Amino acid sequence: MAPSKKKHAKSQACVIPGGFTVLSLQFSSGSVARHSLYVKEHRVRAERSSRRPLDRTLFVLNVPPYCTEVALVHLFSQFGSVESVELRDHPGSFQESGPKLSRFFKPAEKQVDLCFGYVVFQNSSSIPAVKSHPHDVPLVVCTEQRPVKTGIQKWIQQYTDTFIQPDKLQEVVDSFMKDYDERKEEEAERQRKEAEQQQEDEDGWVKVTRGHKGAKARPHSEAANQRTLQKEMRKRKRKELMNFYTWQHRNTQKEHIAELRKKFEEDKQRIALLRAQRKFRPY
């Protein structure tokens, strides 16, 4: 019998509309059910965060609850060295506001069924490797080398993590207060230097020095804004005082004009009486 001329098709990556590549996920090697991850290269022009480089960040959709950040690091390490992994309950820009807080001071995260993830690789060549992974070759989450706890074991682990050791808590608090004191000292030193640079002389003049070529204009400091506000308040008070004295002067002028008019009417009556008596001699 002649061999069949039909060639077996080579397994290829599955790409769906929207540019997402479908990765098959399997909890363990003995599991029958499979889960689908949807990955895409993260390219958001409006985001300028250094935590998510546009050429090395992978956006992951449909992440199951048993897949933690550590598990994602192990899953995607086969495509290249992973720099960081971030899981969120909804996609959005990364916001860096204030000092980084320890897990002891963060509110409890709400449990979600499916979440989103951002995987940052060390090399940009890892992104095409992930997107070209065959769909029929699943990624195994739980192995003997990397076990993942689920069910009652996961709940016990979460309950155990809620207990805080006093020595660890004290260490975190001391580190936070040290950073806080350093930031306060830097802020006070900066305000002191700005106050010295913008200090007024006896006549109210501020010395302005010319910076180096190409230097940007220095924004107004808080101390300068306070001095400007105080000047405006003093100017407003002087204006109100001047208006008060002007009002007094205006009333005085009105009274003087009224007296002059009264005297003028009295003079007219006296002249008319003299004319009637023919005793008015103006010359």
Side-chain angles (χ1 to χ4, degrees):
M1 182 176 179
S4 175
K5 296 182 180 180
K6 183 178 180 181
K7 297 181 180 180
H8 295 284
K10 185 180 179 181
S11 58
Q12 297 179 354
C14 178
V15 181
I16 61 176
F20 287 93
T21 302
V22 182
L23 299 180
S24 181
L25 191 68
Q26 196 172 1
F27 180 75
S28 62
S29 57
S31 300
V32 180
R34 293 186 179 183
H35 186 83
S36 296
L37 292 180
Y38 305 99
V39 299
K40 183 180 181 181
E41 186 176 359
H42 178 64
R43 288 189 175 275
V44 180
R45 296 182 180 180
E47 186 173 348
R48 301 299 181 186
S49 174
S50 59
R51 295 286 299 272
R52 298 175 185 170
L54 298 182
D55 57 339
R56 296 187 287 113
T57 305
L58 189 71
F59 180 50
V60 186
L61 289 177
N62 204 34
V63 180
Y66 57 80
C67 206
T68 61
E69 294 183 355
V70 178
L72 285 180
V73 170
H74 294 310
L75 281 179
F76 290 98
S77 294
Q78 58 182 303
F79 304 104
S81 300
V82 178
E83 183 176 318
S84 64
V85 173
E86 179 188 357
L87 289 179
R88 303 189 64 175
D89 55 351
H90 63 280
S93 61
F94 182 82
Q95 297 180 355
E96 297 179 354
S97 58
K100 185 178 180 181
L101 297 177
S102 173
R103 65 181 182 88
F104 302 128
F105 304 103
K106 291 182 180 179
E109 298 180 356
K110 61 180 181 179
Q111 300 293 330
V112 293
D113 296 334
L114 300 174
C115 56
F116 306 85
Y118 297 90
V119 181
V120 181
F121 293 96
Q122 293 184 358
N123 299 319
S124 58
S125 59
S126 301
I127 301 295
V130 176
K131 297 172 67 175
S132 61
H133 184 72
H135 177 259
D136 55 353
V137 180
L139 303 177
V140 182
V141 179
C142 180
T143 60
E144 294 182 358
Q145 296 79 11
R146 305 186 302 270
V148 177
K149 295 181 179 180
T150 58
I152 189 67
Q153 296 181 355
K154 182 179 179 181
W155 296 343
I156 294 174
Q157 182 65 34
Q158 291 177 351
Y159 178 74
T160 306
D161 293 340
T162 57
F163 293 95
I164 303 175
Q165 299 296 331
D167 53 348
K168 292 184 179 179
L169 179 60
Q170 186 65 39
E171 183 180 353
V172 171
V173 171
D174 294 340
S175 177
F176 179 84
M177 293 306 300
K178 183 179 179 181
D179 295 340
Y180 177 79
D181 294 338
E182 291 178 356
R183 291 195 305 271
K184 281 295 183 181
E185 291 178 358
E186 292 177 358
E187 181 67 18
E189 183 67 18
R190 184 182 62 82
Q191 292 182 0
R192 185 184 63 82
K193 290 182 179 180
E194 291 181 353
E196 291 179 354
Q197 293 177 358
Q198 299 183 2
Q199 188 175 4
E200 300 179 355
D201 55 11
E202 297 178 355
D203 298 331
W205 293 91
V206 179
K207 183 179 180 181
V208 180
T209 58
R210 182 178 181 181
H212 62 275
K213 186 176 181 181
K216 295 183 179 179
R218 182 165 49 87
H220 294 288
S221 63
E222 185 176 356
N225 293 336
Q226 290 292 337
R227 288 196 297 270
T228 305
L229 183 60
Q230 291 176 2
K231 285 183 179 179
E232 291 294 333
M233 293 297 294
R234 290 195 298 267
K235 185 178 179 181
R236 185 178 301 174
K237 288 182 179 179
R238 287 197 302 266
K239 187 176 181 180
E240 292 177 356
L241 189 61
M242 289 176 59
N243 290 338
F244 175 75
Y245 285 121
T246 304
W247 175 77
Q248 279 189 334
H249 184 62
R250 188 182 301 113
N251 288 345
T252 305
Q253 287 183 342
K254 288 182 178 180
E255 293 177 358
H256 182 63
I257 293 174
E259 291 180 358
L260 292 177
R261 288 180 177 175
K262 182 179 179 182
K263 187 178 179 181
F264 177 70
E265 293 295 335
E266 292 177 354
D267 292 341
K268 284 177 61 176
Q269 294 177 4
R270 187 172 59 84
I271 292 173
L273 181 60
L274 293 175
R275 284 181 177 174
Q277 296 177 359
R278 299 187 180 277
K279 295 181 178 179
F280 178 68
R281 298 183 179 85
Y283 302 104

